[in-house]
Amino acid sequence: AVVSTQSTGESGGRAHYFCCCRNPDTADQLHQLIKSTSSDKIRFSVLKLDVTSAEDRAAVVNYCTETLQQTGLNLLVNNAGIMPHYCSEGLETLQGSELHRTFQNNFTGPTLLTQGLLPLIRRAATINPRKTKILSISSKSGSVGHPRFMIGGAYDYRCSKVAINRTARNLAAQLGKEGVIVLPVCPGWAATDMGNRGHLTAEVPVVDSIQGVRQAIRDATQNTNGIFVDHLGDYPPW
């Protein structure tokens, strides 16, 4: 999960990014990115977060609350996710423990983290209404109506993404009147470690995926609040 806030003052815009990962000590690529990106207008904090851990979630919420009491939190990106089973695997291979673990990582943990950060999100919305946003990384493979995904398999992963989309719609309905915009985004089949694992070959370069997601954040308005969007700016069927 990546959390950021931005405020303005006499010196202009300043951003503070809270970059959360399971093992900060071994997150070499993250630290390299921070080193190459840091400036006097950008601050980074790296926080330990396993979204399935109530202790980790509480620590992140407490740290952010202490740091952002005045400005609030104007962007939350929930991007934690695992995919234990391939799309080719049927119901026969599904295990209760894996189903539980997938929902804990992909849905339950991020949802409870959002709950804990909600006071900060609401605080930011009173300062910057319609510019405070919650982004959840979803997937078209969880679409019930997309013609490409009228296939079986990956029960745990796909069903967890359905839950993410429904939660985004609920949040948009609940928080939209307070100036918060919620967007579930499919980043495309990106060439990440998960996207390229095993015999899979992903379709979308990571840079293209990131640029598309960033554009989706910029384009999100009250008119599109809670609507499922992808990295190309299209609106896939639910």
Side-chain angles (χ1 to χ4, degrees), residues 27-132:
D28 296 336
Q29 291 181 325
L30 173 60
H31 290 292
Q32 290 172 8
L33 177 63
I34 290 173
K35 185 176 181 180
S36 64
T37 309
S38 295
S39 72
D40 59 347
K41 291 191 175 182
I42 303 176
R43 178 185 172 189
F44 292 93
S45 296
V46 179
L47 307 178
K48 179 183 181 301
L49 175 62
D50 176 345
V51 291
T52 68
S53 166
E55 182 179 352
D56 281 7
R57 292 194 304 268
V60 169
V61 169
N62 289 339
Y63 184 88
C64 291
T65 300
E66 292 174 1
T67 309
L68 305 174
Q69 292 182 47
Q70 301 301 317
T71 61
L73 180 68
N74 72 358
L75 176 63
L76 168 61
V77 179
N78 286 314
N79 69 322
I82 61 173
M83 183 179 177
H85 293 95
Y86 290 112
C87 296
S88 60
E89 297 183 43
L91 187 63
E92 297 85 353
T93 65
L94 186 64
Q95 299 178 13
S97 59
E98 290 295 341
L99 183 63
H100 177 74
R101 186 168 73 94
T102 303
F103 266 77
Q104 284 290 102
N105 277 276
N106 297 6
F107 168 66
T108 308
T111 301
L112 292 176
L113 178 64
T114 303
Q115 179 189 59
L117 293 170
L118 197 54
L120 290 176
I121 293 168
R122 282 181 158 136
R123 170 61 177 160
T126 63
I127 301 171
N128 277 316
R130 296 176 297 282
K131 292 185 178 180
T132 299

